[in-house]
Amino acid sequence: MPFDVVVFDLDGTLLDTYEDIADSLNAALAELGRPALPSDLVKYYIGGGVEALIGRALGPDATPETSATCTARFREEYSRRWACKTHPFHGVQQLLDALAERRVRMAVLSNKPDRATRDCVARFFPAERFEVVAGAQPGIPRKPDPTGARLVAQQLHARPDEILYLGDTAADMQTAVAAGMYPVGVTWGYRPSEELQAHGAAKLIDQPQDLLGLLE
């Protein structure tokens, strides 16, 4: 430290997306004749990408056909609902403004599909905020595999050890550690602080503005 490059996770870190995800998932489950899941449970299922979300929702006994049908229905529902209830977490916009004033370079790395990641960032944040925006893409393993994080570092022309990585799940902390970045966990996201600490968080922050202190 100090760091002048920050890579952010998206869902649970920059944006509170779980209600739109939960509504889309429950609409898909209803078409399969399955009961709705509580929103707080869906919140805990977020973080591994669409396939992981569907797998957790259906459970281990789901057939491949059922999983494929549910995934397709979820994608269709989410394409209509993704901006209905989603919003930046309180203080995030102010944090990004402060980082921009300090000329901190920023990027987003998400397990959300790449197109949806780009749509969310474009909808809720000024276009010039992030130098790199990357979601899940064919041929690139999802987090916690560090491949995507290393590719983002290359695109930023920065060494991994120059980058602070901010996220809300175990997968985020594992990604940062494996990529050689500095892992910081947020406690306002979708997983408990104990999980973040157990998987490598060097620091935890309770509100977005706390990040500024780590950059000084």
Side-chain angles (χ1 to χ4, degrees), residues 47-65:
V50 173
E51 289 78 10
L53 172 71
I54 299 304
R56 292 163 183 160
L58 293 178
D61 297 331
T63 66
E65 293 78 10

Side-chain angles (χ1 to χ4, degrees), residues 100-197:
E101 289 177 5
R102 297 180 182 208
R103 299 185 183 277
V104 173
R105 303 167 63 207
M106 294 176 273
V108 172
L109 176 63
S110 177
N111 275 342
K112 185 189 288 291
D114 189 63
R115 176 61 183 273
T117 297
R118 294 176 183 276
D119 286 346
C120 281
V121 170
R123 169 66 177 79
F124 293 103
F125 304 110
E128 69 276 8
R129 278 289 182 257
F130 302 102
E131 292 185 30
V132 177
V133 176
Q137 303 174 55
I140 301 177
R142 291 174 174 78
K143 298 180 290 184
D145 187 286
T147 302
R150 290 172 178 156
L151 288 172
V152 168
Q154 291 174 12
Q155 291 174 282
L156 293 168
H157 303 289
R159 298 196 317 268
D161 63 2
E162 298 174 327
I163 298 173
L164 185 151
Y165 186 102
L166 195 71
D168 74 304
T169 68
D172 291 314
M173 300 302 99
Q174 292 170 321
T175 298
V177 170
M181 299 176 181
Y182 188 76
V184 177
V186 307
T187 62
W188 63 79
Y190 300 155
R191 300 295 176 85
S193 57
E194 294 80 7
E195 176 179 316
L196 301 174
Q197 291 173 316

Side-chain angles (χ1 to χ4, degrees), residues 20-82:
D20 285 331
I21 292 173
D23 289 347
S24 302
L25 177 61
N26 282 328
L29 291 174
E31 292 202 18
L32 294 175
R34 290 176 174 252
L37 298 175
S39 293
D40 283 348
L41 182 59
V42 177
K43 181 189 295 186
Y44 192 79
Y45 287 169
I46 295 170
V50 173
E51 289 78 10
L53 172 71
I54 299 304
R56 292 163 183 160
L58 293 178
D61 297 331
T63 66
E65 293 78 10
T66 299
S67 297
T69 299
C70 191
T71 299
R73 294 296 303 122
F74 169 80
R75 290 183 187 278
E76 183 177 340
E77 293 289 340
Y78 191 62
S79 71
R80 295 197 294 264
R81 301 171 186 261
W82 65 271

